[in-house]
Amino acid sequence: MMEATKQVVNQKRSWTTRLDAKKKRLESVKDLVNGLVIPTDRIVEAMEKLIRPGDRVVLEGNNQKQASFLSQALAQTNPKNLFDLHMIMSSISRPEHLDIFEQGIAKKVDFAYAGPQSLRMAQMLEDGKLTMGEIHTYIELYGRLFVDLIPSVALVAADKADRHGNLYTGPNTEETPTLVEAAAFRDGIVIVQVNELTDELPRVDIPGSWVDFIVVADEPYELEPLFTRDPRHITDIQILQAMMVIRGIYEKHGVQSLNHGIGYNTAAIELLLPTYAESLGLKGKICKHWTLNPHPTLIPAIESGWVDSVHCFGGEVGMEKYVAARRDVFFTGRDGSLRSNRTLSQMAGQYAVDLFIGSTLQIDRDGNSSTVTRGRLAGYGGAPNMGHDPGGRRHSTPAWLNMMTSEDPLARGKKLVVQVVETFQTGNKPVFVESLDAIDVKKDTGLAVAPVMIYGDDVTHVVTEEGIAYLYKTDSMEKRRQALAAVAGVTPVGLTHDSKKTDELRREGIIALPEDLQIRRTDAKRSLLAAKSVEEIVEWSGGLYEPPAKFRSW
Amino acid sequence: MKLAFLFPGQGSQKPGLLNELPACIAVENVLAAASETLNESIFNFHSKEALASTKAVQLSLLTAGVAAFKAFEAEGVKADFVAGHSIGAFSAAVAAGVIDFQDAVKIVELRGELMEQAYPEGYGMGVVLGMEAHKLQALVDYHFDEKYPVFMANQNAPDQITVSGALSGIQKVLDAAWKNDARCASLLNVSTPSHCPLLASVSDALTEALHDIPIHRPVIPYAGNRRARLLLDPVDIRLDLAESISSAVQWHDASTVLYEKGVRLFIEMPPGNVLSRLAAKAFPDARVLSVAENGFDDCQFIAKRERLK
């Protein structure tokens, strides 16, 4: 009886519906394409055939690299033919990323970051012009591509392709392999824009059997130099903070592997390694392994022999030759150029490094932080992946173990999550606030959770121009708030601090002022920076670093 | 690179402003059309004495904005977007092709007259610098009094917001702003409580008047004052023109929408440089020019060059 039922069921059902549907779509463009190649001027037509209404479409774009030719083409499709698309985008960056919703081509969106379009996002959500899926961190979004957001179509960008569809993504490999994998291995359609079609690739980053179509773009994909910080803008206060971080955190806990944010305060740390940190005899003891984009400000440390390895999320415009010439340090291909991978570097930065340090715009009295602004919907990106203590971690490192504060036989370590801020932003806005704007944004936009960038219970240290709060050492919420208030200056949160408590907190080692770390405020001068300008970074690199025009002042 | 034209509002006027327009046929035609509609030379409206009247100010600003726009058009410089602040929105609507210039002159004449008559004394506006909107809103709510009402008005920048209403109510809010660490809080030299519900009757009259003139689909997208949306439906634009005077102008958001739409070159029409200064501060990586500061020739030269990129 049982056998018979099984047979009937098996006979009735097709197990290749996805593949059949894909074949039909491929068939529909066979007169339009030349092998794998879609003619540049027929991309819109091809998209209207290869993509169907209601499809889940993953469109490549993050804070650096954009599949700009394909996004522009998608915006030119006819909403009568193509509508109700469910877009999945790491970053909503370009105007047409939202134009496709205004025009009715797309309806629902799942994303990680929308900073460059954050006002239009908020407006369109309010006006009902788009339906919100969820806001993710990068890793979460990539994860869901393999679970419940499996794409029907992937639209991605590569530098070069050959006639077989093999792709070269070079230094800017970023998330392309992840997006392609999610579509290619579940009978989705993969369309790749390339800057160039060529007979021989420098190396293969993505094999041709994962790719359905390539199209030569009318201009190279958009690429932003987002991780270049001109040392000219680094202030004495940021140098003071960098000195405190080096002594009071990196040296104290023996931090060997780490990720840095993109602020000037972390650029200052990078530029103090060959000078200040060197004078403390810390070379070889701290900052050896990095998950970090090729920051130009890391060049002096690399040249001075501080850095063993760097794995990158993406490339950085101008760093190509330098990276290729330092292959002991960076991940590079046979061709010599950088191989980045956002998914793997995010994962490494979440699970495998000792420390994350970055800046923020607001911190509440419990240490929760946020970068949102009222009336805007910006999302997260990758910072919350780095800026969080992954609870399931097992492997130990000296710094991780150093965060243990209990004698419990089951006690475990903690990732170091450090926030470095000045107590006031420009424009006299306090960073330490009673309540995060994120709570209002949640209310105004109907989000399921308040858009907190880093949760207070993950934060181990907060560094301001006043000193360091060692939050991981506090054993009660009250103590934690005292420690934060003690370094919060004259902000509303800082003013709640009873200055008599300061000495007690110092004695307990819960806060440290610069003098407790043997740092004289007057020593924090720009003369400590290993490079004080972009020109000096170029000099350190022996001319290998080629900064984009906007960073050249000479 | 996308280009937006910005049209300034009241406060940007200065005596003789029409004399500083580029000398060309397109400008002369606009000036002549204005005079014809008014049955009086438009040059009677831009003298120091004449500019004491709101109506004269608004007519001069409308004419200057549209004339400069036509001069750019004659040179082949086309904007991707337009936006105007308060009265400047009418110039923007003409530039967008939504209303005809001569109709705009009539409507603006009416707008100026109604505003002058609405609250002859005891009302006005103030400005607060260095305080965020939600904090100022809390002070405005706290000091609101039926007898001496005060409202949040224009959000020109995240830290530059005007308040509008009865003078005594405004003064209370300004005093409270000083006490709460605003960088500056002062009365403006205007006698009309613009951009707040006290001018609802003016909006009603404008709504009626605007219904009597033809409207057309915009040929250039227009960023609205009231909700800072990019508007493509002429009916929405007409509503924005009527309602703006009794609603807060969300200028910072309106210009931010243009920036997010890809605008990286802003050119402010004459007179003045108020809007270009706001844009330069809000969008450090954009190129921002004003005809008043950079001159018409440089503006059109740069616009042509940047458009090729």
Side-chain angles (χ1 to χ4, degrees):
Chain A
M1 185 64 195
M2 194 67 179
E3 283 299 305
T5 316
K6 262 192 196 165
Q7 271 173 13
V8 172
V9 170
N10 284 347
Q11 275 163 11
K12 267 193 184 162
R13 168 155 189 193
S14 159
W15 294 94
T16 57
T17 54
R18 300 174 69 95
L19 181 61
D20 299 342
K22 174 171 176 172
K23 280 182 180 159
K24 228 185 241 173
R25 291 191 195 189
L26 298 189
E27 182 70 20
S28 74
V29 294
K30 79 175 187 331
D31 297 333
L32 202 155
V33 299
N34 174 13
L36 294 175
V37 181
I38 300 172
T40 305
D41 57 357
R42 300 190 74 180
I43 183 66
V44 174
E45 206 183 325
M47 274 181 164
E48 288 182 355
K49 292 194 157 81
L50 290 168
I51 310 176
R52 299 313 311 145
D55 268 0
R56 238 183 246 140
V57 178
V58 60
L59 171 61
E60 179 167 27
N62 51 63
N63 47 13
Q64 295 175 270
K65 172 188 178 187
Q66 306 288 338
S68 38
F69 174 73
L70 292 175
S71 58
Q72 283 169 335
L74 186 61
Q76 286 167 36
T77 57
N78 188 338
K80 283 189 188 124
N81 300 330
L82 211 50
F83 49 87
D84 284 351
L85 298 184
H86 178 174
M87 301 303 298
I88 305 163
M89 287 184 271
S90 289
S91 174
I92 297 168
S93 313
R94 295 173 53 85
E96 72 269 12
H97 288 169
L98 288 180
D99 293 350
I100 57 175
F101 291 89
E102 270 170 354
Q103 292 159 23
I105 297 164
K107 191 175 170 84
K108 188 175 179 185
V109 65
D110 275 279
F111 72 104
Y113 180 65
Q117 296 289 326
S118 58
L119 173 60
R120 288 179 74 210
M121 268 303 283
Q123 289 185 342
M124 289 171 63
L125 186 63
E126 187 185 336
D127 296 349
K129 286 193 178 151
L130 59 77
T131 312
M132 179 76 95
E134 290 284 336
I135 314 181
H136 310 74
T137 70
Y138 281 142
I139 281 280
E140 287 175 79
L141 190 67
Y142 302 150
R144 289 190 67 192
L145 291 178
F146 296 89
V147 181
D148 60 345
L149 287 180
I150 302 167
S152 352
V153 179
L155 305 174
V156 301
D159 292 55
K160 299 175 183 192
D162 65 17
R163 291 268 161 201
H164 309 289
N166 294 308
L167 303 179
Y168 170 70
T169 44
N172 310 301
T173 297
E174 305 196 353
E175 62 232 51
T176 319
T178 307
L179 310 187
V180 171
E181 176 145 2
F185 292 93
R186 207 146 183 275
D187 296 324
I189 293 176
V190 177
I191 306 173
V192 188
Q193 71 166 76
V194 298
N195 298 344
E196 195 187 331
L197 195 59
T198 171
D199 289 333
E200 205 164 327
L201 296 176
R203 72 174 191 240
V204 174
D205 287 295
I206 294 170
S209 64
W210 302 16
V211 172
D212 295 298
F213 295 105
I214 50 183
V215 54
V216 179
D218 53 2
E219 53 183 72
Y221 60 75
E222 183 193 342
L223 189 64
E224 282 289 317
L226 205 76
F227 294 82
T228 300
R229 289 290 170 265
D230 186 340
R232 272 197 186 82
H233 304 302
I234 295 173
T235 64
D236 289 350
I237 285 185
Q238 288 161 344
I239 291 165
L240 173 68
Q241 291 180 322
M243 293 165 80
M244 287 195 277
V245 169
I246 288 168
R247 283 234 80 167
I249 300 177
Y250 292 2
E251 178 184 4
K252 181 179 164 78
H253 306 302
V255 173
Q256 301 211 2
S257 57
L258 69 166
N259 167 257
H260 272 186
I262 61 168
Y264 287 101
N265 38 28
T266 44
I269 300 172
E270 290 153 24
L271 290 168
L272 287 193
L273 292 177
T275 56
Y276 176 69
E278 185 99 30
S279 73
L280 298 172
L282 296 174
K283 186 151 101 183
K285 296 181 180 149
I286 62 168
C287 299
K288 288 158 67 176
H289 305 288
W290 300 72
T291 56
L292 191 78
N293 275 347
H295 288 190
T297 41
L298 197 60
I299 288 174
I302 294 171
E303 294 302 302
S304 313
W306 275 75
V307 178
D308 280 3
S309 69
V310 181
H311 186 262
C312 301
F313 310 89
E316 181 66 3
V317 181
M319 286 290 280
E320 297 81 1
K321 279 190 190 159
Y322 178 77
V323 167
R326 297 290 178 271
R327 61 182 293 156
D328 273 353
V329 172
F330 292 94
F331 285 72
T332 47
R334 280 191 184 175
D335 62 314
S337 74
L338 177 73
R339 162 87 179 193
S340 60
N341 187 310
R342 189 172 310 278
T343 313
L344 294 178
S345 206
Q346 287 280 342
M347 181 121 82
Q350 179 161 334
Y351 278 95
V353 302
D354 288 337
L355 169 143
F356 161 80
I357 181 167
S359 199
T360 189
L361 296 180
Q362 284 191 329
I363 299 180
D364 73 10
R365 59 195 188 135
D366 297 337
N368 298 300
S369 78
S370 156
T371 56
V372 303
T373 308
R374 282 162 208 252
R376 304 289 190 269
L377 200 59
Y380 306 107
N385 289 138
M386 314 293 149
H388 123 242
D389 174 40
R393 175 168 165 173
R394 294 295 187 280
H395 78 280
S396 68
T397 57
W400 186 80
L401 286 172
N402 205 252
M403 291 295 101
M404 281 201 303
T405 52
S406 133
E407 300 293 324
D408 186 327
L410 292 181
R412 51 194 177 166
K414 214 170 185 305
K415 179 177 182 179
L416 285 79
V417 175
V418 183
Q419 299 267 270
V420 52
V421 294
E422 291 174 40
T423 51
F424 283 85
Q425 301 174 40
T426 46
N428 210 28
K429 273 172 91 168
V431 168
F432 292 90
V433 293
E434 290 292 329
S435 161
L436 296 179
D437 285 356
I439 293 169
D440 297 276
V441 170
K442 177 192 172 187
K443 258 187 280 173
D444 295 345
T445 52
L447 295 176
V449 291
V452 168
M453 188 63 87
I454 296 180
Y455 287 107
D457 48 10
D458 283 329
V459 177
T460 54
H461 303 71
V462 172
V463 183
T464 72
E465 70 276 19
E466 304 284 333
I468 302 177
Y470 293 91
L471 298 184
Y472 74 94
K473 281 189 171 176
T474 58
D475 52 8
S476 68
M477 195 47 105
E478 195 200 340
K479 203 68 167 198
R480 194 178 171 82
R481 288 178 177 174
Q482 279 177 11
L484 256 181
V487 298
V490 293
T491 60
V493 170
L495 292 172
T496 64
H497 176 64
D498 175 0
S499 57
K500 280 180 236 148
K501 291 236 169 73
T502 300
D503 286 336
E504 187 189 320
L505 291 167
R506 284 169 72 185
R507 269 197 307 277
E508 292 175 277
I510 288 176
I511 65 165
L513 307 186
E515 51 267 40
D516 302 332
L517 304 168
Q518 290 80 51
I519 294 169
R520 278 192 308 206
R521 287 175 184 267
T522 48
D523 287 346
K525 288 275 177 270
R526 281 181 46 83
S527 55
L528 282 180
L529 294 174
K532 290 170 243 353
S533 64
V534 174
E535 295 99 296
E536 289 183 23
I537 297 178
V538 174
E539 269 173 44
W540 271 101
S541 77
L544 290 166
Y545 170 47
E546 298 173 324
K550 70 174 178 181
F551 295 104
R552 289 172 186 267
S553 53
W554 61 95
Chain B
M1 182 184 278
K2 296 249 165 73
L3 161 66
F5 284 156
L6 307 178
F7 297 84
Q10 209 156 341
S12 294
Q13 69 274 14
K14 61 174 198 168
L17 65 97
L18 297 174
N19 297 332
E20 294 180 16
L21 293 171
C24 66
I25 301 208
V27 169
E28 281 167 28
N29 288 343
V30 171
L31 295 173
S35 301
E36 186 192 303
T37 312
L38 292 165
N39 266 328
E40 185 182 352
S41 167
I42 184 69
F43 288 99
N44 291 346
F45 292 84
H46 76 153
S47 66
K48 191 176 174 207
E49 299 71 32
L51 288 178
S53 131
T54 294
K55 182 175 100 175
V57 170
Q58 298 197 7
L59 285 168
S60 301
L61 292 176
L62 170 73
T63 306
V66 172
F69 171 80
K70 294 286 181 191
F72 278 106
E73 198 178 52
E75 288 291 339
V77 177
K78 288 197 180 108
D80 298 283
F81 303 97
V82 292
H85 191 293
S86 187
I87 182 63
F90 286 83
S91 318
V94 173
V98 176
I99 54 176
D100 300 331
F101 175 60
Q102 291 189 306
D103 288 332
V105 171
K106 284 183 235 158
I107 302 274
V108 166
E109 190 181 19
L110 172 69
R111 185 180 187 264
E113 279 166 9
L114 293 171
M115 285 171 67
E116 281 172 1
Q117 292 156 9
Y119 292 89
E121 59 187 35
Y123 290 82
M125 297 179 79
V127 64
V128 177
L129 304 182
M131 177 173 275
E132 287 173 90
H134 70 281
K135 289 193 180 139
L136 184 58
Q137 181 73 60
L139 299 180
V140 167
D141 291 346
Y142 183 79
H143 290 286
F144 186 86
D145 177 339
E146 290 283 332
K147 255 172 52 196
Y148 304 105
V150 58
F151 301 89
M152 293 281 277
N154 303 339
Q155 178 125 19
N156 296 326
D159 63 346
Q160 188 196 120
I161 301 163
T162 64
V163 290
S164 205
L167 290 176
S168 60
I170 293 173
Q171 198 56 57
K172 278 188 212 156
V173 170
L174 296 179
D175 292 345
W178 273 120
K179 276 190 206 127
N180 283 277
D181 297 330
R183 195 165 70 244
C184 176
S186 58
L187 272 177
L188 290 171
N189 185 24
V190 291
S191 52
T192 311
S194 297
H195 301 292
C196 77
L198 294 175
L199 290 188
S201 64
V202 177
S203 283
D204 292 344
L206 286 175
T207 302
E208 243 175 74
L210 281 160
H211 264 99
D212 294 338
I213 62 165
I215 55 169
H216 320 281
R217 281 198 73 79
V219 288
I220 307 173
Y222 160 108
N225 274 201
R226 211 165 50 105
R227 298 183 67 237
R229 301 303 200 263
L230 210 55
L231 302 177
L232 292 165
D233 185 334
V235 174
D236 292 336
I237 297 175
R238 181 170 65 187
L239 182 69
D240 191 61
L241 291 173
E243 296 282 322
S244 160
I245 191 59
S246 57
S247 321
V249 176
Q250 302 299 337
W251 181 256
H252 177 65
D253 280 1
S255 50
T256 301
V257 164
L258 298 182
Y259 181 80
E260 291 189 356
K261 282 290 280 185
V263 172
R264 291 296 179 275
L265 175 60
F266 292 90
I267 301 182
E268 182 176 3
M269 299 295 107
N273 57 15
V274 174
L275 302 181
S276 47
R277 296 222 164 163
L278 290 172
K281 194 161 176 223
F283 317 114
D285 67 335
R287 186 110 201 231
V288 182
L289 306 170
S290 67
V291 172
E293 258 183 14
N294 304 89
F296 178 75
D297 288 342
D298 280 8
C299 286
Q300 61 121 333
F301 175 76
I302 291 167
K304 281 180 186 164
R305 199 187 57 193
E306 296 295 322
R307 301 288 277 162
L308 294 176
K309 283 185 188 170

